[in-house]
Amino acid sequence: MTTLAIDIGGTKIAAAVCDENDAITHRWRVPTPMDADAINHHIANIYHEAVAAGHDDIQAIGISAAGNVGADRRTLTFAANIPAWINYDLSEHIGALIDHAVPVVVENDANCAGWGEYMHGAGQGSSNMVALTVGTGLGGAIVIDGRLYRGSFGMAAELGHLPMVPDGDTCGCAERYTSGSALERFAKSAMRRRPQDAERLMELCGGDVDKLEGPMVSQAAQEGDVLGLYAFGKIGEWLGRAMAATAAVLDPDVFVIGGGVVA
């Protein structure tokens, strides 16, 4: 079964044609517009380009999207970055642009990442798996008895919203303490409290603590910088707490951890 896989990210739309063995045979990458109609047309154009390139046997389109996806696996009930994606039937909008030539299935991006790891990556051979994606936020995916668990309304595995600290910083959820944003906050706080140790991070951010970004913390940590390592240690500690809470409920045989911060 030849399929077209689409990942709608915050900065890019990545696409690939996959053959019957799930091997990638063709790739595309285009910038992500912050407009729903423009995204739809980009995806439709990729489909038409794939057909024109000889992939006229595509039997389905699978879309990974950063948002809450309803149980119908068609509708985005909410997305933080695309205002129009509220109760938005993405499948129908894209289908209309390609004359409904093939079915269009939509899934949450963390669920897609987790299922990919279960089928082809670090989760292979497990029965019950939990995946955590540590990026700008904290996403999750749950596989139980070999099936992706989506819950009653498609909202399962929102592990970033696990309550960790009652009356904590802003919301007290796991994402607040384990994410790229948390990495920056821990590093900035440490720089202000321990200026004697902040020389390398200050150099990387040009002397302005407010301009410190996650990749700078990563670079410093890779160089062995004490505050860079401290910041990673803190998000690792909070990630461990979130995993312990999850394990107490689901008892998985493996955790798979990925995402931009982990990279």
Side-chain angles (χ1 to χ4, degrees), residues 117-141:
E117 290 290 348
Y118 179 76
M119 293 296 294
H120 303 290
Q124 290 182 89
S126 64
S127 296
N128 302 297
M129 183 202 80
V130 174
L132 292 158
T133 56
V134 188
T136 303
L138 177 64

Side-chain angles (χ1 to χ4, degrees), residues 95-121:
L97 295 174
I98 61 173
D99 297 324
H100 297 283
V102 296
V104 178
V105 179
V106 183
E107 186 54 88
N108 169 266
D109 56 350
N111 278 346
C112 288
W115 186 248
E117 290 290 348
Y118 179 76
M119 293 296 294
H120 303 290

Side-chain angles (χ1 to χ4, degrees), residues 1-3 16-25 115 119-120:
M1 180 179 182
T2 302
T3 57
V17 172
C18 302
D19 65 17
E20 63 276 6
N21 297 314
D22 289 337
I24 294 174
T25 60
W115 186 248
M119 293 296 294
H120 303 290

